[in-house]
Amino acid sequence: MRNTALRLLPALALASVSCSEKQQNPNILLIVADDLGLGDVSAYGSRTICTPNIDRLADNGIRFTNGYATSSTSTPSRYALFTGMYPWRNAEAKILPGDAPLLIDTEMPTMPKMLQAEGYQTAAIGKWHLGMGDGDTDWNKPISPSANTVGFDYTCLIAATNDRVPTVYVENGLVEGLEADDPIYVSYKQNFEGEPTALTHPEMMKMKWYDGHFNSIVNGIPRIGFMKGGQKARWVDEQMADYFIGKVKNYLDNRDKDKPFFLYYGLHQPHVPRAPHQRFVGSTDLGPRGDAVVEADWCVGEVISYLEKSGLAENTLVIFTSDNGPVVNDGYCDDSEERLGTHDPRNGTRGGKYSLFDGGTHIPLIIYWKGHLTPMLSDALVSQHDFFASIGALVGGSVPEGLDSQNHLDAFLGRTQQGRVDLIHEAEGRLSYRKGKYSLLPPYTGLVRNKTLNELGNLGEWGLFDLEADFGEKHNIAADNPELLEEMKSNFSYICGLNF
Ligand code: NG6
Ligand code: CA
């Protein structure tokens, strides 16, 4: 008896301490846009698109001018965000098809798991693109392992991208709105007999494809991959923004109010196909891509004003960012090149999505926490995979050893302009190195540009650029600086374990 009581005592004491600590921990809202460029946001200087809601976060928070994703494409970028590991450490972390198995090992530590252990309730709503299921998914049954197994109590997701099948919403591992007499089938190998594709039924398309998107047609839009059935469950692209905002508000309304929340909200814009709601059509002169950015900004406004109205703003740390650099034409005929005019989504950076140049990973990054931060510009070098360790430090969480994630909480909260020393970037299997103001690109060969017209960063020789003097990486200084080049090469090799 006595022993039991004694054994219970420390546990009780601990429980009461951590309970009161937990109440002080802020909610965390992580908004990740898809393919949004620095130059798409007016707070970063866009004169052609107006993003008042994102700007409000920037004006009243910390706006990072040296904020980075780890990869210039979505899957590896988001993998690093949640696991705190560089994506190139996992050979499978590349753009995934919609039927790919869950990429994050269910045994791996993740940021949301760390937060759950600190008493957070966690949710993921919107774009996922990290796989789900075991690779042999029957979409008519509970999907296992679902995204919930990597640390989210609630999930409502699109499996991959808005241009990939299955074009359905998956809520807690179940396809939403599926009818028993209309099962859904998905294949990335072959079409299902009699199902229309862009090649067999071009007349069914309201948006034409330019590259790659010529399989199943859903909602008049040709996709990557084949799909059959599930008619009632299929999403309508133009309603996706409203759908996810509805889910976000519903989640916030019905959550357990005694616990802090961590909500990852993955915006689907301005990724292709750009099909904003009718009320945003024509809101810019840039066509669907610009209008989709305005729609994304509206989504941000909706969730922030919800926080305001429900008195949550002061106790919610908001992170706004994008998964990779921008792209103009990404495979559909959507007037994005034709109507680009003077708009520069890259904001003077070189490359963009898919690129190893700076524009591949240099993204908008804003931290807003009403009443807690001194608004400022920060040029600290920060990367999204540092959120894990930094948020861990903020909430007193246990962050495992051996992560690539570093604790830069002081930089994220604007207490210092000192961030990372260096950083490795990934672009479709290739790596580059950033240290201080310099970026180093190995002598990759291959296509110089892909069909998107983004320069890929295959220079065919070592590239060394001084980003402070040469933001657009126009002058390769490798030949003139042999010592610096060698030093950068040896640091790079040491970190990534590769010999170039
Ligand atoms: C590419 C698609 C592109 C986009 C990208 C993934 C083609 C020609 N291009 O393969 O449209 O879907 O994959 O984008 O099919 S990401 O932002 O999710 O990484
Ligand atoms: Ca993306």
Side-chain angles (χ1 to χ4, degrees):
M1 194 56 204
R2 196 166 162 255
N3 275 348
T4 318
L6 273 180
R7 261 188 275 124
L8 276 175
L9 261 178
L12 282 173
L14 262 180
S16 68
V17 168
S18 57
C19 203
S20 62
E21 272 175 7
K22 273 167 203 161
Q23 277 164 15
Q24 290 160 16
N25 274 338
N27 305 309
I28 298 162
L29 169 64
L30 170 61
I31 307 175
V32 183
D34 197 357
D35 299 354
L36 185 76
L38 278 173
D40 290 320
V41 178
S42 35
Y44 279 90
S46 173
R47 295 282 161 267
T48 26
I49 302 182
C50 202
T51 54
N53 295 299
I54 303 170
D55 294 2
R56 211 165 298 132
L57 302 181
D59 293 345
N60 298 292
I62 321 283
R63 176 165 74 83
F64 291 89
T65 56
N66 259 316
Y68 284 87
T70 54
S71 170
S72 65
T73 61
S74 159
T75 300
S77 169
R78 289 163 204 259
Y79 175 84
L81 188 76
F82 291 132
T83 65
M85 295 302 286
Y86 276 126
W88 43 268
R89 298 199 190 275
N90 181 346
E92 306 299 317
K94 49 192 182 216
I95 299 175
L96 292 179
D99 62 351
L102 183 64
L103 175 66
I104 301 173
D105 191 310
T106 53
E107 298 299 311
M108 249 181 125
T110 64
M111 177 165 66
K113 278 187 193 170
M114 178 273 292
L115 289 167
Q116 278 178 330
E118 292 312 305
Y120 277 75
Q121 54 188 314
T122 58
I125 297 176
K127 172 167 174 167
W128 180 239
H129 212 185
L130 290 167
M132 50 178 70
D134 59 3
D136 188 22
T137 294
D138 179 344
W139 297 88
N140 305 291
K141 296 192 174 138
I143 298 164
S144 176
S146 74
N148 297 48
T149 55
V150 297
F152 294 104
D153 301 317
Y154 171 78
T155 59
C156 182
L157 302 163
I158 64 172
T161 53
N162 40 342
D163 56 348
R164 282 175 173 75
V165 303
T167 57
V168 292
Y169 300 116
V170 182
E171 190 170 38
N172 291 327
L174 288 173
V175 172
E176 201 189 48
L178 198 60
E179 293 181 316
D181 59 356
D182 185 22
I184 178 177
Y185 300 100
V186 175
S187 169
Y188 274 74
K189 294 195 185 85
Q190 63 200 34
N191 193 20
F192 300 95
E193 213 183 317
E195 290 302 305
T197 71
L199 302 181
T200 60
H201 291 72
E203 73 287 352
M204 282 176 67
M205 295 188 295
K206 63 182 179 194
M207 189 188 289
K208 294 204 170 82
W209 62 281
Y210 171 77
D211 186 26
H213 302 86
F214 48 74
N215 300 151
S216 288
I217 302 172
V218 180
N219 186 30
I221 302 174
R223 317 277 167 165
I224 305 174
F226 303 100
M227 173 173 163
K228 178 186 169 181
Q231 290 295 339
K232 280 267 163 61
R234 296 179 178 203
W235 71 53
V236 176
D237 303 76
E238 293 81 354
Q239 291 166 11
M240 193 177 280
D242 290 349
Y243 173 84
F244 279 130
I245 271 295
K247 290 288 174 182
V248 163
K249 290 182 184 171
N250 201 38
Y251 171 73
L252 293 173
D253 274 341
N254 294 311
R255 71 191 206 283
D256 175 352
K257 308 267 183 342
D258 291 334
K259 292 179 170 180
F261 67 81
F262 167 64
L263 170 59
Y264 156 74
Y265 176 23
L267 297 171
H268 67 282
Q269 309 101 333
H271 194 282
V272 294
R274 292 137 186 168
H277 189 276
Q278 182 62 34
R279 66 184 184 277
F280 299 102
V281 172
S283 51
T284 66
D285 293 332
L286 304 175
R289 187 178 183 282
D291 299 346
V293 173
V294 173
E295 186 185 62
D297 181 70
W298 173 83
C299 293
V300 172
E302 282 295 292
V303 57
I304 301 299
S305 51
Y306 180 96
L307 296 181
E308 290 283 353
K309 277 187 220 139
S310 41
L312 290 168
E314 280 83 359
N315 200 26
T316 305
L317 174 85
V318 181
I319 304 174
F320 176 82
T321 191
S322 171
D323 65 344
N324 51 252
V327 59
V328 179
N329 183 330
D330 203 15
Y332 287 97
C333 302
D334 58 6
D335 269 357
S336 50
E337 289 287 351
E338 295 81 347
R339 296 179 63 177
L340 193 62
T342 58
H343 182 64
D344 176 17
R346 299 176 186 86
N347 226 23
T349 59
R350 188 168 177 183
K353 183 175 180 178
Y354 312 110
S355 179
L356 209 51
F357 284 123
D358 191 56
T361 49
H362 198 160
I363 36 78
L365 176 51
I366 298 163
I367 306 235
Y368 170 78
W369 188 1
K370 193 174 184 186
H372 293 261
L373 304 176
T374 311
M376 69 176 77
L377 266 187
S378 172
D379 64 2
L381 181 65
V382 285
S383 172
Q384 293 169 350
H385 73 301
D386 294 330
F387 292 155
F388 190 160
S390 308
I391 290 176
L394 176 73
V395 305
S398 114
V399 176
E401 300 272 307
L403 298 183
D404 292 313
S405 184
Q406 298 176 356
N407 172 11
H408 289 292
L409 183 63
D410 285 345
F412 283 125
L413 298 184
R415 297 176 188 149
T416 171
Q417 301 250 340
Q418 204 62 51
R420 280 190 156 256
V421 171
D422 59 7
L423 186 55
I424 293 186
H425 292 139
E426 188 269 354
E428 301 204 280
R430 298 156 300 146
L431 303 182
S432 68
Y433 181 57
R434 167 78 185 265
K435 183 168 192 215
K437 60 180 183 170
Y438 296 110
S439 78
L440 178 75
L441 278 72
Y444 290 111
T445 53
L447 277 182
V448 170
R449 292 173 189 265
N450 61 13
K451 274 200 167 183
T452 69
L453 301 183
N454 276 359
E455 287 185 283
L456 299 178
N458 292 331
L459 286 169
E461 59 179 2
W462 281 99
L464 182 62
F465 299 93
D466 175 347
L467 285 164
E468 230 166 73
D470 178 25
F471 190 67
E473 296 173 301
K474 293 192 177 69
H475 309 289
N476 187 354
I477 59 169
D480 293 337
N481 295 274
E483 277 175 23
L484 178 62
L485 179 65
E486 284 316 309
E487 190 194 315
M488 288 284 286
K489 275 160 97 169
S490 94
N491 286 332
F492 182 32
S493 298
Y494 178 76
I495 301 177
C496 73
L498 296 175
N499 262 322
F500 289 96

